[in-house]
Amino acid sequence: MKKSIIAIAVSSAALASVSAYAAEGSTVDVYGNIQYAYADKDAGGNFEDNGSTIGLKGETKINDDLTAFFKYEIEFDADQKEGSSGENKADLDQAFVGLQGNFGKVQIGTFDTNYNNAIQDAVDQYEYLGFTNAAKTSEGDTIAYFSPSVNGFEVQAAVQVKGEASETNTNTNANGDKSSSMMVVKYSTGIVSAALGYDSRANTADAEATTGLAITVTPLENLSVTAKYETTEDTQDILGLAARYGYGAGDVYASYQNVDPDAAGSDDFNEYAAGVTYSLASNIYVFGEVGKFENATNSDTDTQTAVGVYYGF
């Protein structure tokens, strides 16, 4: 009981501090979510955290044309009180600061890569299940620019800056001190939008670049269909197709991929999955998913199912 009272007092003091600093044209919001899933795979079933997070985000209006913003988000395991020895219960998910104005937006820190958002997310669209994606630059140590839309065109550019003392500059990665660059060009008109992405992956051990193209068609306001193609030099090619339909109380979605590895002794393989969400409120929904995932080196197929719940605040 005493611990609970102390925790409430500390939390109240922290929120009061946030409110005190969110003055003179500034806003700060506390947000987060709790996510759980029960998944069943060939290896067995498990009750898991499904990406629960808590964070702070805010902005400060510098003048009529310029706004500064920030975000700091922690991802934590909410399914069990104690983890294995040495296992972290919480990890940084996103943290960045930036400036936004008529010129677009610039931000620096740790966040989802522009390549992943533009090319991969529409096909790998699942709450729990995961599809194979082309290799890309890791998150963190990144400076990114997002242009405003001009006649339907948008440009996004990013550079991950490493150094001689970086954690990736090791004996097994001779490229660890190099910088990796990413570029995305988007075009949208009417019911069709397209994104072309490039990731140099220059600071990875193999330094093989990835290129991707995603085209989305929205014939109806609540229906989208996306086709994508990704290739990583001397590694693999991926062809994917996805659809998503909003039926009012939630979404129905499905994806298919064919993955063709370049490695000797590996055959191309397929991935299929479908899912549905149902909203209990604007910030609460449940989901169910099922997928079949073939193997590159044998004829085994892993059938996976998952059900779960999301509560956002």
Side-chain angles (χ1 to χ4, degrees):
M1 180 64 72
K2 291 183 179 179
K3 290 183 179 179
S4 299
I5 293 174
I6 292 172
I8 292 171
V10 171
S11 299
S12 300
L15 291 175
S17 298
V18 169
S19 300
Y21 282 105
E24 299 181 0
S26 297
T27 61
V28 176
D29 295 319
V30 180
Y31 70 95
N33 60 74
I34 302 290
Q35 302 184 55
Y36 292 117
Y38 183 83
D40 187 54
K41 309 176 183 179
D42 284 355
N46 190 29
F47 182 81
E48 306 176 32
D49 174 82
N50 194 37
S52 302
T53 61
I54 188 167
L56 297 169
K57 60 182 178 180
E59 63 179 37
T60 297
K61 188 174 181 179
I62 298 174
N63 55 48
D64 290 341
D65 300 318
L66 194 62
T67 300
F69 58 88
F70 83 94
K71 187 174 186 179
Y72 187 88
E73 183 175 291
I74 297 294
E75 186 171 19
F76 60 92
D77 292 336
D79 61 318
Q80 54 187 344
K81 185 175 180 179
E82 297 180 358
S84 302
S85 177
E87 180 182 339
N88 292 329
K89 296 296 293 181
D91 294 290
L92 179 68
D93 188 28
Q94 298 186 72
F96 55 85
V97 296
L99 291 173
Q100 186 169 10
N102 294 330
F103 63 89
K105 180 172 68 173
V106 176
Q107 64 187 47
I108 179 171
T110 300
F111 41 87
D112 294 342
T113 70
N114 53 11
Y115 179 90
N116 174 69
N117 290 337
I119 307 299
Q120 299 176 335
D121 275 355
V123 176
D124 189 15
Q125 58 182 321
Y126 296 90
E127 298 291 328
Y128 178 86
L129 302 181
F131 270 35
T132 300
N133 287 313
K136 59 184 179 293
T137 296
S138 61
E139 298 178 17
D141 305 315
T142 301
I143 304 171
Y145 168 71
F146 304 81
S147 79
S149 178
V150 179
N151 297 323
F153 282 97
E154 296 179 44
V155 175
Q156 301 176 0
V159 177
Q160 185 183 68
V161 181
K162 295 291 185 179
E164 293 181 358
S166 71
E167 70 281 357
T168 60
N169 192 26
T170 64
N171 292 333
T172 58
N173 183 8
N175 303 313
D177 62 340
K178 298 180 180 178
S179 297
S180 181
S181 59
M182 293 150 277
M183 175 72 73
V184 170
V185 178
K186 293 183 175 181
Y187 178 68
S188 179
T189 177
I191 65 172
V192 180
S193 61
L196 178 64
Y198 174 80
D199 186 342
S200 72
R201 300 183 64 246
N203 57 19
T204 62
D206 57 22
E208 302 289 3
T210 289
T211 304
L213 173 66
I215 299 175
T216 299
V217 180
T218 53
L220 302 173
E221 183 179 358
N222 54 347
L223 173 64
S224 64
V225 179
T226 299
K228 78 157 186 180
Y229 173 73
E230 293 186 276
T231 181
T232 304
E233 295 175 9
D234 301 322
T235 304
Q236 65 184 5
D237 297 329
I238 302 174
L239 182 64
L241 183 65
R244 194 173 190 98
Y245 176 73
Y247 65 90
D251 292 337
V252 178
Y253 46 96
S255 301
Y256 161 77
Q257 277 196 162
N258 176 264
V259 183
D260 187 7
D262 291 343
S266 296
D267 297 324
D268 68 315
F269 59 94
N270 299 305
E271 300 174 328
Y272 316 80
V276 59
T277 64
Y278 179 78
S279 296
L280 303 174
S282 61
N283 62 323
I284 307 170
Y285 63 85
V286 294
F287 68 87
E289 297 176 344
V290 59
K292 289 184 177 292
F293 300 88
E294 296 178 354
N295 194 294
T297 57
N298 57 53
S299 58
D300 291 345
T301 299
D302 188 1
T303 300
Q304 302 181 13
T305 59
V307 293
V309 60
Y310 171 99
Y311 189 114
F313 56 88

